[in-house]
Amino acid sequence: MKKYILYTFSAVIMVLALGTTSCTNDLDVTPIDPNMQTGDKINPDALLNKCYGVIALAGQTGPDGDSDVDGIDGGTSGFYRQMWNSNELTTDETICGWGDDGIPEFDFNQYDRTHPMLRGYYYRLYVSIAFCNQYLEDFSELDATKTAEVRLLRAFSYYLLLDGYGNVPFVTSVSSEKPEQISRANLYKWLEEELLAIEPNLSEAKAKTSSDANYGRVDKAAAWFLLMRLYLNAEVYTGTAQWEKAATYAKKVIDSPYKLYTTEKNGYSAYAQMFMGDNGENGSSVEAVFPILQDGLTTQSYGTSLFLMASSIDSDVHIFNSENSGGNSDQGWGGNRMLPDLVAKFFPNNNAPNVAAYQMPAEAGDDRAIFDGEGREVDGAQTQEDVKSDGHFKRGFACCKWNGWKTDGSSGHGSKYIDTDVFLFRVAEAYLSYAEALARQNGGNFNQEALNAVNAVRERANAERKANFSLSELCDEWSREFYYEGIRRPVLIRFNRFGGNVNYNWTFKGGTKNGRNISANLNIFAIPETDIIANGNLTQNPGY
């Protein structure tokens, strides 16, 4: 039984003087439940819950209620869904056939300063920062560990702003003043200092299951993990590489109590179990440095694991056997499907078979190939109109990685919303980061230690062990391990495979069937035009 100590609120209520934006029509956080307040005071534990909950839930009144971010559909506005759309639909892994405002612009790399979803993502991150600032202003002296956790959650939001938007408004207190803009390099410096400062006060690293106290709360390993990401991308963010530091912090995660999960259970591969409905209970959470908790009854959202599953399948998929169709939920929206470029990562000879998902891993020789080709075309869409037209979902393989099936044979808590937690930080990323950092220090050459790290990830998936590797092959390995997990865009940018004259193109990159180079300015998103207009302290990113 999962303990939702973080996300099952009596409620969280406050009026925040948001200094993070000045456009109240686009971001409005208002009181929802007056029972949350005691007089004029905010309950500190409820506010701590909200600092976590803003990552897992769209708002305060359930999946169909008001969103923390006004002016965008509540189901769409969820943190993970916004992060995923910006980092996956823009890449070589997936494309979506929905005509929602903003989706085609992601599909074809044509987003600009008025893009509605990039505005929603931006404001979602600042909502998170605002709640954290409120907690730190009111309760930072109550408990050193909780304060460190909130500072880490705030740092995570600022990290995503650093990665996505570059030079952004910066505020660390509750203020009605219009914030100043911080440069990308200075925000990088602040993040490094902040994470190093809070690490001693965080709880000791400890792998947990959903029955353990504090499952879902960050500890020292989460700080090491975020430092690892920061250092791995330092050259992109500042112009100066930090491969040695990236390797150091990746190794700290690898050597921590969190481990690469390798246990097969009841016929399910170790890899598959991390994306199933009982991943908080089946043992795979030993890999989850930072999980986002989900429950089909008490933690419902259209923006987290339900979105990851339902947007990517229809009722025709057979994920684990020939009898059970769908994803153990009555939802199958048929929107996001795999680009042929992703399928080719598993079938480089363009010989992907039209078989069901439960048959695909054996065909690929890789447990990670959890996708369905039965009755589908691997490369069916020929024009932009094909991407969006009726029947579009069969014009591409269906990703079945995320689902609600449980390894113990039990059903989920609800028939619609699944119980699958999202492993936001997982240990395999430390292994690939460690290998990459070592190789880049060595002129792109993989020594035995780097090879061992990559092969540990491959062997867990029962994929062939490699005797040598190149950086180009490692970029593909990042995709095989982490496809559909919302991190592809930063990886492509780090490998110089995204914007600019890079000559690494994928299907429909830039809007053409065979792909084309896109402008280098697209490596950073625009500051939303609404914020530029509202705050005279801000300067738009180049090219927008």
Side-chain angles (χ1 to χ4, degrees):
M1 181 83 181
K2 293 184 178 182
K3 293 182 180 178
Y4 288 92
I5 59 172
L6 295 174
Y7 303 148
T8 304
F9 316 122
S10 54
V12 173
I13 197 56
M14 69 208 72
V15 181
L16 296 179
L18 280 172
T20 50
T21 69
S22 302
C23 190
T24 56
N25 290 331
D26 295 283
L27 175 60
D28 188 17
V29 180
T30 56
I32 298 170
D33 182 357
N35 294 324
M36 261 303 290
Q37 292 180 309
T38 303
D40 294 326
K41 295 182 179 180
I42 302 167
N43 182 294
D45 287 335
L47 183 50
L48 175 66
N49 285 349
K50 186 62 177 181
C51 291
Y52 278 98
V54 74
I55 297 174
L57 302 169
Q60 201 57 38
T61 55
D64 296 307
D66 294 331
S67 171
D68 291 328
V69 180
D70 197 17
I72 185 171
D73 174 73
T76 304
S77 72
F79 156 77
Y80 197 89
R81 184 167 177 171
Q82 290 297 325
M83 185 188 75
W84 193 95
N85 282 334
S86 67
N87 286 330
E88 289 290 342
L89 293 180
T90 56
T91 74
D92 58 352
E93 293 190 346
T94 186
I95 200 165
C96 185
W98 297 336
D100 302 41
D101 195 12
I103 291 291
E105 289 81 4
F106 273 149
D107 284 341
F108 309 128
N109 306 102
Q110 294 168 351
Y111 44 87
D112 60 18
R113 61 190 181 183
T114 65
H115 192 274
M117 290 189 180
L118 286 176
R119 184 171 67 247
Y121 181 34
Y122 175 91
Y123 288 141
R124 169 62 63 176
L125 293 173
Y126 277 112
V127 163
S128 178
I129 289 167
F131 282 121
C132 291
N133 283 343
Q134 186 77 53
Y135 182 93
L136 295 172
E137 182 148 316
D138 292 345
F139 307 118
S140 61
E141 302 301 320
L142 288 183
D143 184 289
T145 299
K146 291 178 181 178
T147 293
E149 290 178 38
V150 173
R151 288 173 68 180
L152 190 143
L153 295 174
R154 181 178 65 179
F156 178 53
S157 291
Y158 268 126
Y159 171 78
L160 294 173
L161 287 162
L162 167 84
D163 179 77
Y165 299 87
N167 310 316
V168 296
F170 182 70
V171 61
T172 57
S173 63
V174 177
S175 172
S176 60
E177 299 297 321
K178 295 179 180 180
E180 298 290 334
Q181 191 167 21
I182 191 172
S183 70
R184 205 179 201 190
N186 284 338
L187 182 52
Y188 173 96
K189 182 175 182 292
W190 178 85
L191 278 166
E192 179 182 27
E193 293 172 350
E194 180 77 351
L195 291 168
L196 292 172
I198 64 177
E199 186 265 349
N201 288 326
L202 289 165
S203 300
E204 294 301 319
K206 179 183 178 181
K208 297 171 280 289
T209 68
S210 62
S211 61
D212 294 324
N214 298 327
Y215 176 61
R217 289 174 67 170
V218 294
D219 57 27
K220 290 184 191 298
W224 303 334
F225 199 103
L226 196 50
L227 281 163
M228 173 193 79
R229 276 193 181 178
L230 188 68
Y231 291 135
L232 193 67
N233 294 285
E235 190 169 26
V236 174
Y237 302 150
T238 71
T240 302
Q242 297 289 354
W243 306 122
E244 184 176 358
K245 289 182 178 179
T248 295
Y249 279 91
K251 193 67 163 58
K252 286 174 76 71
V253 175
I254 292 169
D255 292 341
S256 78
Y258 295 96
K259 300 298 178 186
L260 201 68
Y261 182 63
T262 59
T263 303
E264 296 186 6
K265 181 178 290 185
N266 298 336
Y268 299 102
S269 71
Y271 187 81
Q273 290 174 58
M274 293 189 292
F275 309 96
M276 295 178 69
D278 60 344
N279 57 356
E281 299 85 59
N282 62 24
S284 64
S285 61
V286 71
E287 185 156 335
V289 175
F290 185 6
I292 303 175
L293 277 54
Q294 294 287 278
D295 182 277
L297 293 180
T298 61
T299 315
Q300 298 176 346
S301 170
Y302 288 111
T304 313
S305 52
L306 177 68
F307 162 73
L308 292 166
M309 179 204 70
S311 69
S312 305
I313 67 168
D314 56 18
S315 60
D316 294 335
V317 302
H318 293 88
I319 301 177
F320 292 123
N321 57 57
S322 59
E323 286 81 31
N324 294 328
S325 61
N328 198 23
S329 162
D330 60 13
Q331 301 295 293
W333 306 338
N336 300 313
R337 75 271 198 184
M338 298 171 68
L339 284 172
D341 310 77
L342 174 55
V343 177
K345 300 291 192 297
F346 294 91
F347 295 96
N349 297 320
N350 296 319
N351 60 340
N354 295 100
V355 299
Y358 68 91
Q359 300 168 306
M360 197 68 74
E363 295 285 344
D366 194 319
D367 291 343
R368 300 171 295 188
I370 310 174
F371 45 86
D372 190 281
E374 191 172 23
R376 306 175 195 278
E377 302 170 84
V378 70
D379 188 18
Q382 302 301 313
T383 67
Q384 290 190 23
E385 288 69 31
D386 286 343
V387 172
K388 298 175 285 186
S389 63
D390 291 343
H392 65 81
F393 193 62
K394 301 296 185 183
R395 299 190 180 104
F397 280 15
C399 173
C400 302
K401 180 173 178 174
W402 299 91
N403 61 86
W405 299 106
K406 299 199 174 190
T407 57
D408 62 3
S410 65
S411 298
H413 291 150
S415 61
K416 180 177 182 178
Y417 302 96
I418 60 177
D419 300 333
T420 310
D421 297 336
V422 175
F423 293 174
L424 189 61
F425 294 173
R426 62 182 183 89
V427 171
E429 187 173 338
Y431 277 79
L432 295 189
S433 296
Y434 187 59
E436 181 179 337
L438 291 179
R440 289 188 185 274
Q441 287 182 84
N442 197 30
N445 298 310
F446 284 68
N447 61 20
Q448 194 59 52
E449 196 171 7
L451 282 171
N452 288 344
V454 178
N455 280 322
V457 173
R458 291 182 58 80
E459 287 172 346
R460 185 262 293 280
N462 289 307
E464 178 187 6
R465 185 179 178 90
K466 297 289 187 181
N468 54 67
F469 236 75
S470 68
L471 284 175
S472 178
E473 290 169 325
L474 184 63
C475 188
D476 290 344
E477 193 66 30
W478 274 105
S479 187
R480 282 186 286 268
E481 179 66 23
F482 287 101
Y483 70 96
Y484 273 56
E485 292 187 53
I487 66 170
R488 185 57 173 168
R489 178 187 145 275
V491 171
L492 289 175
I493 291 171
R494 188 172 68 249
F495 279 85
N496 197 29
R497 290 187 168 190
F498 196 76
N501 295 321
V502 298
N503 295 320
Y504 176 80
N505 297 320
W506 56 83
T507 308
F508 289 114
K509 181 183 181 183
T512 65
K513 168 62 179 177
N514 295 324
R516 63 175 179 83
N517 287 334
I518 57 178
S519 174
N521 80 286
L522 297 178
N523 285 345
I524 299 178
F525 300 131
I527 304 296
E529 184 70 1
T530 49
D531 231 21
I532 293 291
I533 293 171
N535 185 353
N537 297 326
L538 305 182
T539 301
Q540 185 58 270
N541 288 327
Y544 291 103

